[in-house]
Amino acid sequence: MPLHDGPFHAEATAQALPELCFGSWTLGNLRTAVTHDLLDGTDHLMLRISLSGTPVLSHRGREVIGAAGDAILMSTTEPWVSISPSLTRFLSLRLRRNALTPLVSYPEDALMRPVPRDTEAVKLLTFYLQKLIRMEPMSTPELRQVVVTHIYDLAALVIGATRDGAAVAKDRGLRAARLAAAKADVHAHFSDPDLTLITVASRQNLSPRSLQRLFADEGTTFTEFVLNARLTQSHRLLTDPRWGDRNISSIAFEAGFGDLSYFNRTFRRRYGATPADIRASMRR
């Protein structure tokens, strides 16, 4: 219900996967609550990650003011209240307890104890969820199950995994999220001709060797991944009519290539045609 007179705001985007529901919420001037009468009888855990605003959460006799980036765990077995006096944005995860307990022995110990936003697990879980929310639905059950496993791994690390659980989660979900974040970093900066392994590793709080290993485990290298991103972008621009008045060298530089001969050589090896051939075929 609205907290005071005036407009309120409520917006949500949610997805359901096997053993997992997650979504993005924006609320303003609202009080939302689950009372005893509204409990659905499930024994699940809800993990909320605040993105902006200062929501006030009440649960199990405790009241917590959510700071941007913090993660807070609640239970579906007990009532809760959320107050959003101003516009607040957050991510939410509904986790099955029996799917989480192999990694976390006593999740109750973490209820209503905010996990700071500066922890790597919170940052990567936030990144991973935001990326998934923007994606199209996954095409195969196998892919959906892999994603669910990775999310549970990251959630376990946020909540507090056992020693054995942390080892498993780091080898699966944390590794996958680190690689996804590194790839996103490359895609955001590949047009910079000075992009290097060291700069990306620094932004991702990894050592260069750790970053190299992430790409190697996927059967490629950092250099090959960057080159592929640049070649894909240059081909897209060469075939885009809106770039038809730009010469090939400017397109190469726009895609991050600093050496025109290297661009021509690698482009022909990748596409079996020169950039000029591709441009000419689009004009026929």
Side-chain angles (χ1 to χ4, degrees):
M1 66 174 63
L3 293 171
H4 51 72
D5 291 340
F8 67 89
H9 187 97
E11 181 181 351
T13 301
Q15 288 194 37
L17 295 173
E19 299 187 329
L20 177 70
C21 294
F22 63 93
S24 172
W25 299 76
T26 303
L27 304 177
N29 184 28
L30 277 178
R31 178 185 186 274
T32 56
V34 171
T35 64
H36 281 287
D37 293 338
L38 295 176
L39 294 175
D40 59 10
T42 61
D43 185 12
H44 297 167
L45 295 164
M46 295 185 299
L47 186 63
R48 285 180 45 149
I49 302 175
S50 179
L51 300 178
S52 64
T54 53
V56 179
L57 299 176
S58 298
H59 182 57
R60 302 191 97 204
R62 296 191 64 192
E63 184 175 278
V64 173
I65 298 177
D70 287 355
I72 299 174
L73 187 69
M74 298 188 293
S75 170
T76 64
T77 63
E78 300 178 51
W80 56 267
V81 175
S82 173
I83 297 175
S84 302
S86 59
L87 205 62
T88 62
R89 294 176 56 245
F90 62 91
L91 303 171
S92 66
L93 271 172
R94 188 176 176 110
L95 305 158
R96 291 183 181 272
R97 184 186 295 269
N98 60 1
L100 190 65
T101 47
L103 302 171
V104 182
S105 295
Y106 302 104
E108 292 82 3
D109 293 345
L111 293 175
M112 295 301 287
R113 300 184 183 279
V115 180
R117 60 188 171 187
D118 58 357
T119 61
E120 183 185 24
V122 172
K123 289 180 179 178
L124 288 175
L125 180 57
T126 301
F127 164 80
Y128 207 68
L129 289 174
Q130 290 179 317
K131 187 177 180 69
L132 289 172
I133 288 170
R134 292 192 296 266
M135 288 175 56
E136 294 294 323
M138 283 158 277
S139 57
T140 65
E142 293 79 12
L143 180 57
R144 290 192 288 270
Q145 189 56 56
V146 168
V147 168
V148 169
T149 299
H150 290 165
I151 291 177
Y152 269 93
D153 288 341
L154 290 170
L157 292 172
V158 170
I159 296 167
T162 63
R163 180 178 298 180
D164 289 345
V168 171
K170 287 178 180 178
D171 191 54
R172 294 187 311 199
L174 189 62
R175 179 182 293 272
R178 281 173 173 166
L179 180 59
K183 287 181 175 180
D185 191 315
V186 169
H187 282 296
H189 298 96
F190 65 76
S191 60
D192 178 3
D194 296 323
L195 182 69
T196 66
L197 175 78
I198 293 174
T199 57
V200 174
S202 177
R203 281 196 292 262
Q204 298 301 319
N205 295 313
L206 295 170
S207 69
R209 184 172 182 179
S210 295
L211 184 57
Q212 284 177 321
R213 192 177 301 119
L214 288 176
F215 283 98
D217 288 344
E218 203 174 62
T220 186
T221 67
F222 173 83
T223 301
E224 289 171 349
F225 187 82
V226 172
L227 176 60
N228 181 66
R230 287 172 172 166
L231 288 172
T232 300
Q233 174 69 351
S234 60
H235 186 276
R236 186 184 70 80
L237 296 180
L238 285 166
T239 56
D240 187 337
R242 293 171 296 181
W243 287 73
D245 61 341
R246 299 284 292 271
N247 59 44
I248 290 174
S249 61
S250 68
I251 286 178
F253 295 140
E254 182 70 27
F257 288 95
D259 184 322
L260 191 58
S261 62
Y262 175 69
F263 164 67
N264 285 316
R265 185 169 63 254
T266 55
F267 188 96
R268 184 166 188 170
R269 185 185 307 136
R270 164 78 179 273
Y271 294 104
T274 67
D277 292 336
I278 297 295
R279 167 65 63 78
S281 68
M282 295 301 297
R283 291 175 173 172
R284 288 174 190 153

